Amino acid sequence: MKHLPAEPDRPIRIGQLSSFSLATVWSSSPRPSHRPRHHPSRISISASSPCRSGVSARVRVSPSPPTAMAPDDAATTAASSEPGGAGGMSSEEVAARPLLSSLSPSPAVPVPESIEDLDRRYAPYARRDAYGPMGLGPIGPAEAARLAIAAVVLVPLRVVAGVLVLVAYYLVCRVCTLWVEEERESGEGDGYARLQGWRREAVVRCGRALARAMLFVFGFYWIREYDCRFHDAKDEHVDQSKELERPGVIVSNHVSYVDILYHMSASFPSFVAKRSVARLPLVGLISKCLGCIFVLRESKTSDFKGVSGAVTEKIQRAHQQKTAPMMLLFPEGTTSNGDYLLPFKTGAFLAKAPVQPVILRYPYKRFNPAWESMSGGRHVFLLLCQFVNYLEVIHLPVYYPSEQEKDDPKLYANNVRKLMAVEGNLILSDLGLAEKRVYHAALNVMREGKNLSC
């Protein structure tokens, strides 16, 4: 697809989206999430032709409210919104500023008096489902009865089925790696990403099928997918030479650990994982067969490649070799509640290779599958207690960077982020991992003080 323009004061021209009807993202306040949201209501998608080509759109997001930004933060945001970081903003540039600006996690800032204050300030991480913040909110008798029945009937069955699926795939990986020497760089096993022939075919096919089976175990019986990766043959603006290029990385918004299961079932990419994951029982061998990049973040010696260098090398290899597994990266670096799109890190864009954007959405009725402000064990339990869970996926066309974007990874990342925000009906936010930790710490303080109320 045609790259986005570098100037922030122009409309974003998307001439090769053969099946898109783009909409202007205009968000004045966080949207309620207590009811299921079907495919983005502000994107026109018909059943016969879900996308239309030659549509121009501008990403417009409401400026931050006065109470959500300190004066110093406002000055910083105004300076950073310029392409070159200079001051002086036009009216259109002001309109394109994010909804929420980063807040300094200063310990001197007092904890807000109510959970409503926290949710407004840290909207991308706030849970607004039936279970409330941290999954500890008060629930009615009907919901309590549903949980009790599911805990007795559904959860044991699903746990047993999940373990069987995991063990089955471990056995497949064990058989396919018999008498195969593990790739070794840095003195430790780095995986079996370069399996060939029937071994690689069995690992990929069984992995995709069993990942879909695991999604079924979690209650994702139907997955609605909108595939807009292919351009209209009549579109004369498509560069046919670029169409032959293979993307090296899948970039996706990050909402839950369920994201990984879906991507495994759809394209079976490789991931970035801590080196300790390679030593875990069952999961360790599976992660090696996936071709994960194992990193030791605390190591500063020259024996270990940096994370960015290893990721860039893997992306370039996947871009140039059809047999190499693609990378999957979540540029946000952390999860959100599914309604927002956080700032993108540039790691996925340093290789200057085309990227495949994918948008995940989780409509819900009572429980939001987003892994936010909740322990892993409690989240898995509540997810297994839901009789049905929903997932919607939008596959965007491959994004081919311009020469200017290749020279400026930050520009490349921001343009892809704007495109995903428009197509996924997501709200842009400047909050990041630091603000998320402040939010979680404040929730824990309020919980210990017994002040948590919905």
Side-chain angles (χ1 to χ4, degrees), residues 408-420:
D408 187 351
K410 187 174 182 181
L411 174 65
Y412 188 5
N414 288 338
N415 285 344
V416 173
R417 178 176 178 244
K418 290 177 182 179
L419 173 64
M420 294 177 64

Side-chain angles (χ1 to χ4, degrees), residues 3 15 35 95 130 172 188 202 214 227 238 295 392 397:
H3 62 270
R35 62 181 184 275
V172 171
E188 187 172 346
M214 187 67 80
D227 195 341
V238 178
V295 297
E392 296 178 350

Side-chain angles (χ1 to χ4, degrees), residues 248-251 270-273 291-295 297 305-319 325-330 345-353:
V249 60
I250 299 171
V251 293
S270 56
F271 310 90
V272 176
C292 290
I293 296 179
F294 299 109
V295 297
R297 297 177 181 176
K305 295 181 179 179
V307 177
S308 297
V311 169
T312 300
E313 180 182 342
K314 196 72 171 285
I315 293 174
Q316 291 174 342
R317 182 189 306 169
H319 173 52
M326 292 179 61
M327 285 290 300
L328 169 65
L329 293 176
F330 302 105
K345 300 181 183 301
T346 59
F349 308 94
L350 295 174
K352 304 179 181 180

Side-chain angles (χ1 to χ4, degrees), residues 106-174:
S106 173
V109 178
V111 178
E113 296 180 356
S114 65
I115 188 63
E116 289 79 9
D117 294 337
L118 278 177
D119 287 350
R120 282 193 296 268
R121 184 176 289 267
Y122 302 101
Y125 313 116
R127 299 192 66 89
R128 299 183 180 88
D129 56 11
Y131 298 90
M134 305 180 73
L136 299 174
I139 58 177
E143 189 62 30
R146 291 191 192 96
L147 282 180
I149 295 174
V152 174
V153 179
L154 272 183
V155 174
L157 292 176
R158 286 178 168 176
V159 168
V160 172
V163 171
L164 291 177
V165 170
L166 183 63
V167 172
Y169 191 48
Y170 170 80
L171 294 177
V172 171
C173 293
R174 177 56 66 188

Side-chain angles (χ1 to χ4, degrees), residues 20-272:
F20 277 100
S21 176
L22 304 182
T24 301
V25 177
W26 181 259
S27 310
S28 59
S29 60
R31 294 168 293 173
S33 304
H34 62 278
R35 62 181 184 275
R37 293 181 308 279
H38 300 290
H39 190 70
S41 59
R42 281 175 279 191
I43 301 178
S44 301
I45 299 182
S46 61
S48 58
S49 178
C51 315
R52 293 179 298 178
S53 62
V55 181
S56 178
R58 185 194 305 277
V59 180
R60 299 181 64 199
V61 187
S62 299
S64 304
T67 56
M69 181 185 298
D72 293 340
D73 296 328
T76 302
T77 304
S80 61
S81 62
E82 290 288 336
M89 299 174 60
S90 65
S91 59
E92 291 186 352
E93 291 169 333
V94 172
R97 288 171 57 189
L99 174 68
L100 300 173
S101 77
S102 301
L103 299 174
S104 177
S106 173
V109 178
V111 178
E113 296 180 356
S114 65
I115 188 63
E116 289 79 9
D117 294 337
L118 278 177
D119 287 350
R120 282 193 296 268
R121 184 176 289 267
Y122 302 101
Y125 313 116
R127 299 192 66 89
R128 299 183 180 88
D129 56 11
Y131 298 90
M134 305 180 73
L136 299 174
I139 58 177
E143 189 62 30
R146 291 191 192 96
L147 282 180
I149 295 174
V152 174
V153 179
L154 272 183
V155 174
L157 292 176
R158 286 178 168 176
V159 168
V160 172
V163 171
L164 291 177
V165 170
L166 183 63
V167 172
Y169 191 48
Y170 170 80
L171 294 177
V172 171
C173 293
R174 177 56 66 188
V175 170
C176 291
T177 54
L178 288 175
W179 304 295
V180 176
E181 185 177 357
E182 186 176 353
E183 299 174 23
R184 295 182 179 275
E185 301 176 0
S186 70
E188 187 172 346
D190 287 295
Y192 302 94
R194 302 185 187 182
L195 289 175
Q196 301 293 332
W198 66 269
R199 298 176 186 270
R200 179 64 183 173
E201 189 72 12
V203 167
V204 172
R205 288 184 177 271
C206 292
R208 295 182 64 175
L210 292 176
R212 184 63 186 91
M214 187 67 80
L215 286 171
F216 191 90
V217 169
F218 276 100
F220 294 92
Y221 308 126
W222 304 278
I223 298 178
R224 181 176 297 180
E225 300 189 68
Y226 301 87
D227 195 341
C228 301
R229 286 173 288 189
F230 303 101
H231 300 297
D232 189 348
K234 299 180 180 180
D235 194 342
E236 300 177 355
H237 299 285
V238 178
D239 188 342
Q240 299 298 332
S241 63
K242 287 186 176 181
E243 287 298 310
L244 300 177
E245 296 184 20
R246 180 179 189 241
V249 60
I250 299 171
V251 293
S252 172
N253 62 318
H254 200 11
V255 183
S256 173
Y257 48 80
V258 180
D259 303 348
I260 298 176
L261 288 176
Y262 169 75
H263 286 292
M264 282 185 61
S265 69
S267 54
F268 204 77
S270 56
F271 310 90
V272 176

